[in-house]
Amino acid sequence: MNQVKREEAELERIGRMIRETPVQIDLEERIMRRALSGRLSGVKAEPRRLRRTGRMLRKSAGIAAAVLLVTLLIASTEWISPTLAASIKQIPGMNSIFRLAGDLGLRNADEQGLAAVPERSDTHGGLTLKVSEVMYDGIRVTLGIERHTDVEKLQQGDISDLMTDIKLSVDGEDINTYGPLGGTGGGSFGPFLLRGKDADSRIIQFTDLQNQGGRAFPDTFDLTMAVDIQGIAEPFEITLPVVKKTYRNSIAEPIVRSVSGMTFTLETLELTPITTRLTTRIERPAGQPVDAVKDFLGYDLIDDEGNVLQEINGGTGWSASGGTALLSAALFEPLVHPGGRLTVKPFRTLSINKDGVREKEYIPEFEVTVPVSVPVPVPVPVPVPLPITEK
């Protein structure tokens, strides 16, 4: 059985599970209890609309089960066939790249209404690139981009295979001017290309560098993205509005640990409902330069309940202070549990196997535990439903 037929059979199996599983009843009962207790979206339930609401909740329960099961299917494979992708798009709520990206923070952004839907696009040579989603939480800017084309050669492979360069500007100003020392002081914005929901979508992500001495992005700005595509002379240029949607909590006081003449400093730990960003500094004894490879550390972030926050796109680092310090930044998924503490466990990577699993050597002398709290989103206006006229 080939790949397409296997996936079509898997989709049919999922369809049967959605129709037959008792999870719909459980979901409905839980949602109904929350609605009746006034906890659903912070809106008090209206008994007069209960019968109609019950029908809607039964439908929502089925959709929730479908989204859960299909998400598990997509997460288990790197490639989705066009037939399966087209079928999945027929399920309500399954068009969101953020929801299916495997990133808890982006899923939160989608579910909490913190992602904008600009629907901006550009077309050249029979290919359309569309930005379908954008999110900015004060740390990272994330774009969901899609490919639409009827040209066979442009349909081959992954959308990222076609991209040869991406240039970004903020309010008409090259993004590099927001870096340390006006873009001449090191650090990297990216952008990073991350997995989307299928071969026709990708996530483009970059961060500000204010944690490394750069300027913060404005709370509201126009982002222009120019993408060079292999085989098409004219670049694709898309301009879209970007608005910060969340508060950010920062633990700004540096925490210092030293051992054998090497000093580790936790510079900042920044939290939003979407992202956790860790910034650190490694220094050797005075006059000794750091080694950007040997001295580079990885980090595990662990909450009070033992949950390890998933790293998003790997850490970046650059030599600062004339090469005597290594400044590094890493992005992680958001903290789930409110309050408590977060433990930062630095480690050296000894080896990486073929599955990407790292053998780690932890450095207990550098371990740091800090009190934290989960930041809240900026309130998003919720439309008030019109009253139903009783007949």
Side-chain angles (χ1 to χ4, degrees):
M1 185 182 294
N2 61 31
Q3 175 75 15
V4 173
K5 289 183 178 179
R6 282 198 302 271
E7 289 180 345
E8 288 174 348
E10 183 68 7
L11 184 62
E12 174 59 29
R13 184 182 69 81
I14 288 174
R16 289 196 304 271
M17 290 176 65
I18 293 170
R19 291 189 296 270
E20 297 170 2
T21 179
V23 72
Q24 296 185 31
I25 298 174
D26 293 337
L27 283 172
E28 180 187 348
E29 290 178 353
R30 284 201 299 269
I31 296 171
M32 288 292 288
R33 283 198 298 270
R34 290 175 59 198
L36 290 171
S37 64
R39 295 197 301 267
L40 185 58
S41 302
V43 179
K44 190 173 182 179
E46 299 177 0
R48 184 160 53 90
R49 300 178 59 191
L50 186 58
R51 182 174 299 175
R52 181 181 177 187
T53 304
R55 288 197 299 269
M56 294 173 62
L57 290 173
R58 279 191 289 272
K59 181 178 179 181
S60 299
I63 292 172
V67 170
L68 173 61
L69 292 170
V70 177
T71 300
L72 291 175
L73 169 63
I74 292 176
S76 67
T77 179
E78 285 292 332
W79 183 82
I80 300 296
S81 72
T83 302
L84 181 58
S87 300
I88 288 173
K89 289 178 181 178
Q90 303 307 310
I91 301 175
M94 295 304 288
N95 283 327
S96 169
I97 298 174
F98 288 178
R99 179 171 295 190
L100 299 176
D103 182 318
L104 174 62
L106 295 184
R107 192 160 65 246
N108 285 348
D110 177 72
E111 294 174 351
Q112 298 175 19
L114 302 178
V117 186
E119 297 289 352
R120 302 292 179 91
S121 64
D122 195 11
T123 301
H124 299 290
L127 172 67
T128 296
L129 293 184
K130 182 177 77 171
V131 176
S132 56
E133 295 170 275
V134 60
M135 186 282 306
Y136 175 41
D137 67 345
I139 294 179
R140 57 169 162 159
V141 180
T142 308
L143 312 174
I145 189 168
E146 298 179 356
R147 165 179 61 184
H148 299 276
T149 183
D150 293 325
V151 181
E152 185 175 354
K153 67 177 182 179
L154 296 175
Q155 296 173 339
Q156 305 303 312
D158 189 277
I159 179 178
S160 59
D161 296 336
L162 301 175
M163 300 180 183
T164 59
D165 193 20
I166 299 175
K167 297 183 179 68
L168 303 168
S169 64
V170 174
D171 287 336
E173 190 176 4
D174 189 292
I175 193 174
N176 290 299
T177 63
Y178 281 80
L181 303 179
T184 62
S188 173
F189 292 97
F192 296 92
L193 281 174
L194 307 178
R195 179 180 172 186
K197 62 182 178 180
D198 53 28
D200 291 320
S201 66
R202 267 296 182 265
I203 286 173
I204 297 176
Q205 181 167 282
F206 60 95
T207 67
D208 67 24
L209 295 180
Q210 63 174 311
N211 62 321
Q212 301 173 49
R215 288 189 292 155
F217 297 143
D219 289 351
T220 302
F221 61 91
D222 286 333
L223 173 69
T224 299
M225 177 177 63
V227 182
D228 291 336
I229 296 294
Q230 185 176 356
I232 298 179
E234 191 170 358
F236 290 71
E237 188 170 292
I238 301 174
T239 299
L240 61 152
V242 177
V243 179
K244 184 171 73 172
K245 289 291 185 72
T246 69
Y247 294 115
R248 177 175 59 193
N249 290 353
S250 296
I251 300 171
E253 290 188 10
I255 302 174
V256 182
R257 299 282 188 269
S258 296
V259 61
S260 302
M262 181 175 284
T263 301
F264 163 80
T265 304
L266 189 156
E267 292 279 333
T268 60
L269 184 62
E270 302 163 90
L271 309 174
T272 81
I274 311 300
T275 314
T276 300
R277 178 164 67 178
L278 173 71
T279 307
T280 63
R281 178 186 293 265
I282 294 290
E283 296 174 279
R284 286 192 172 275
Q288 295 186 23
V290 294
D291 188 311
V293 177
K294 293 181 180 179
D295 293 331
F296 188 81
L297 300 179
Y299 301 93
D300 282 347
L301 270 59
I302 305 173
D303 68 15
D304 270 354
E305 299 191 9
N307 301 303
V308 180
L309 275 60
Q310 181 175 322
E311 196 168 5
I312 295 173
N313 53 253
T316 60
W318 59 283
S319 295
S321 304
T324 62
L326 179 64
L327 195 62
S328 302
L331 297 184
F332 299 82
E333 290 185 343
L335 188 66
V336 175
H337 301 286
R341 300 176 302 172
L342 194 60
T343 299
V344 180
K345 298 183 66 173
F347 62 82
R348 294 186 180 91
T349 300
L350 302 180
S351 64
I352 303 177
N353 67 17
K354 59 183 179 64
D355 297 319
V357 178
R358 287 183 284 192
E359 181 185 359
K360 303 174 182 180
E361 178 187 41
Y362 289 97
I363 309 173
E365 295 85 355
F366 288 170
E367 186 171 305
V368 174
T369 299
V370 293
V372 295
S373 60
V374 177
V376 296
V378 173
V380 178
V382 177
V384 178
L386 294 174
I388 298 176
T389 303
E390 299 288 353
K391 294 184 180 180

